[in-house]
Amino acid sequence: MYEAFFKLQVKPFDLVPNPDFIYLSKSHKKAITYLDYGIRERVGFILLTGEVGCGKTTIIRNIIKKHHEEVVISMVYNTRVSSEQLFALINDDFGISVVGKDKTSMLRDLNDFLVEQYAKGNSPVLIIDEAQNLTPKLLEEIRMLSNLETDNVKLLQIILVGQPELREAISAPALRQLRQRISINCHLQPLSRQEMEQYILHRMEVAGNRNAVSIPQGSYDLIYSSSRGIPRLVNIICDFLLISAFAEETDNLEESLVNDVICEIDVDQQFWQTDGTKEIAAKTSKSQEVIQSVPEEVSKVLQQINRRLDVMEKDSKSNAETMIREFAQRLTELQNAFMFHVKETDAVITSLSSRIDKVRSSIDESGDGSKDSTNSILKKIMRT
């Protein structure tokens, strides 16, 4: 819509993971290097994780696009499936017929296919995207696929791609063997502030005009604080910015324009706040609407009440913390006093035991077990 106005050939901030637009930040460059190495060396399992929108799929598509003819790839995107469905997806993407095949037949066909590809000098690679949705049972079955190997090389290279939850999933004790099979482990980090600026300029350059718009440093700061360096969010914000600039017939993305767009998109509510935070924000917004709908004098009174409630809440919290500290201190004092009495009691018991032993020893030595003799010895011991 706005391409001609800004002298662009295509939209620079489309959400489609197009490898032509890939920008190699420090983190992305490291991930690609690891993936290249892993595929070339047939290391077995590779784990690639990152937050939503960090560019995992774009990197995978870049790997698929640029890799050599001898690399044969099966790409699985749908991971909310049964065991049979998963193997059907894997085999089908490798070009293996799955019609009328049960799981056992599909595994046998896959093994035959891998051996055939190895004989041809090819490297089959299985890439599973959104792997955080896989059940522990499916993850274990995927691990079993890594057992398909010759004496000195893996017949199948497996790359698991997913959100940070994937790391939590494979940390389960039952998946210890899977963790041990992972040879390369990399996590995509968000863009830094400087990288985000270069990312925006890079995408406009690939789209046909690096200088399509003028972006002050303050505007870059606002984009970064809202997106937190997540490429997908940067794309969403910048696309809306270009639409707004096109509507106003300007090529200057000044801070006021960026602020307006961020408010319209409602980035904080849509992408960062939890459900609980959203609920609180909704209640706050509703309260403000109520206050705005009443007369000014009443509104002032309500605002004063709100401020007073805030103060009371803070005071209540402070008092509660003070009471907790005092209780903890008193509890420590009681514990110390109790331990002191315990030690005193132990000392008394020890002393009594020692005296009793002396009495017994004295009785044995005297050889006189009469009552008078015993009493005499006891009186003597007690005096000591």
Side-chain angles (χ1 to χ4, degrees):
M1 182 175 75
Y2 52 69
E3 292 94 315
F5 179 79
F6 293 114
K7 298 186 173 106
L8 296 166
Q9 298 174 4
V10 293
K11 291 177 65 176
F13 300 106
D14 206 337
L15 295 181
V16 177
N18 187 344
D20 292 336
F21 280 88
I22 190 169
Y23 169 77
L24 297 182
S25 69
K26 181 179 179 181
S27 179
H28 289 70
K29 190 179 297 182
K30 181 187 297 184
I32 288 179
T33 301
Y34 285 171
L35 288 170
D36 279 337
Y37 171 80
I39 292 175
R40 290 177 187 275
E41 300 299 322
R42 297 187 179 187
V43 297
F45 268 101
I46 296 177
L47 180 66
L48 173 64
T49 57
E51 291 291 347
V52 177
C54 269
K56 301 182 296 296
T57 305
T58 304
I59 284 181
I60 292 301
R61 294 195 177 186
N62 174 267
I63 292 292
I64 294 174
K65 180 180 178 181
K66 80 176 197 177
H67 255 288
H68 329 287
E69 294 180 359
E70 66 269 16
V71 175
V72 182
I73 292 178
S74 174
M75 184 78 180
V76 175
Y77 294 97
N78 185 6
T79 50
R80 296 187 182 275
V81 292
S82 66
S83 177
E84 290 78 7
Q85 290 170 331
L86 178 63
F87 287 112
L89 290 171
I90 294 171
N91 282 18
D92 184 63
D93 212 46
F94 271 134
I96 307 170
S97 175
V98 297
V99 179
K101 303 288 182 69
D102 60 12
K103 180 179 173 181
T104 303
S105 299
M106 287 188 288
L107 282 171
R108 184 173 57 250
D109 290 346
L110 177 59
N111 185 62
D112 292 342
F113 171 80
L114 296 177
V115 172
E116 178 186 343
Q117 293 302 312
Y118 175 70
K120 292 180 179 179
N122 293 334
S123 299
V125 178
L126 170 61
I127 302 173
I128 301 181
D129 201 0
E130 301 298 335
Q132 75 277 354
N133 297 326
L134 293 170
T135 63
K137 180 182 176 182
L138 285 179
L139 285 169
E140 178 61 16
E141 294 206 43
I142 291 169
R143 180 193 69 80
M144 296 295 290
L145 290 178
S146 67
N147 291 334
L148 303 175
E149 56 188 4
T150 66
D151 291 337
N152 55 6
V153 70
K154 296 285 184 184
L155 292 177
L156 180 64
Q157 175 75 50
I158 302 174
I159 302 176
L160 296 178
V161 184
Q163 297 169 21
E165 293 86 343
L166 176 58
R167 290 176 176 270
E168 297 177 12
I170 64 177
S171 66
L175 295 175
R176 181 178 67 257
Q177 293 187 57
L178 173 59
R179 290 197 302 276
Q180 292 173 353
R181 295 290 181 92
I182 296 174
S183 302
I184 293 178
N185 188 335
C186 52
H187 182 76
L188 283 182
Q189 300 291 342
L191 302 172
S192 67
R193 163 62 178 78
Q194 183 178 1
E195 287 174 337
M196 186 210 69
E197 181 174 339
Q198 293 302 315
Y199 171 83
I200 292 173
L201 295 174
H202 167 77
R203 291 190 73 97
M204 288 195 296
E205 183 175 2
V206 174
N209 185 6
R210 182 183 179 90
N211 301 312
V213 291
S214 173
I215 308 178
Q217 289 301 309
S219 295
Y220 278 121
D221 292 338
L222 289 172
I223 296 171
Y224 184 73
S225 63
S226 294
S227 67
R228 303 186 191 179
I230 302 296
R232 184 179 298 168
L233 297 187
V234 175
N235 286 5
I236 291 173
I237 294 171
C238 288
D239 189 48
F240 271 89
L241 277 172
L242 291 183
I243 294 173
S244 298
F246 170 70
E248 297 184 13
E249 298 184 352
T250 179
D251 61 357
N252 183 22
L253 306 186
E254 55 188 16
E255 292 181 39
S256 59
L257 180 63
V258 177
N259 264 321
D260 290 342
V261 166
I262 290 173
C263 290
E264 289 173 6
I265 299 175
D266 203 5
V267 176
D268 288 340
Q269 295 263 1
Q270 292 295 327
F271 302 106
W272 294 122
Q273 291 188 337
T274 61
D275 292 339
T277 310
K278 287 183 179 180
E279 184 178 349
I280 293 171
K283 289 180 179 179
T284 303
S285 176
K286 187 174 181 180
S287 299
Q288 291 174 345
E289 290 176 3
V290 171
I291 290 175
Q292 291 173 356
S293 65
V294 299
E296 183 178 355
E297 292 182 0
V298 178
S299 176
K300 289 181 179 179
V301 173
L302 290 175
Q303 290 175 354
Q304 290 176 356
I305 292 173
N306 280 335
R307 286 195 293 269
R308 181 56 184 162
L309 287 173
D310 289 340
V311 172
M312 290 174 65
E313 183 180 1
K314 292 177 181 178
D315 289 344
S316 176
K317 183 178 180 181
S318 177
N319 290 336
E321 291 175 349
T322 301
M323 290 175 63
I324 290 172
R325 284 196 299 269
E326 290 177 353
F327 177 77
Q329 183 178 356
R330 181 58 181 160
L331 188 63
T332 301
E333 291 174 356
L334 288 172
Q335 184 179 8
N336 292 338
F338 176 76
M339 293 304 298
F340 174 76
H341 288 301
V342 167
K343 290 179 180 179
E344 281 193 334
T345 303
D346 287 344
V348 170
I349 292 173
T350 301
S351 176
L352 286 174
S353 297
S354 177
R355 292 178 181 182
I356 290 171
D357 290 340
K358 290 180 179 179
V359 168
R360 287 175 178 170
S361 177
S362 298
I363 292 173
D364 292 340
E365 289 176 0
S366 67
D368 184 3
S370 67
K371 182 176 178 182
D372 291 340
S373 177
T374 301
N375 288 339
S376 174
I377 294 172
L378 283 172
K379 289 177 181 179
K380 181 178 180 181
I381 295 300
M382 292 300 294
R383 285 197 298 271
T384 62

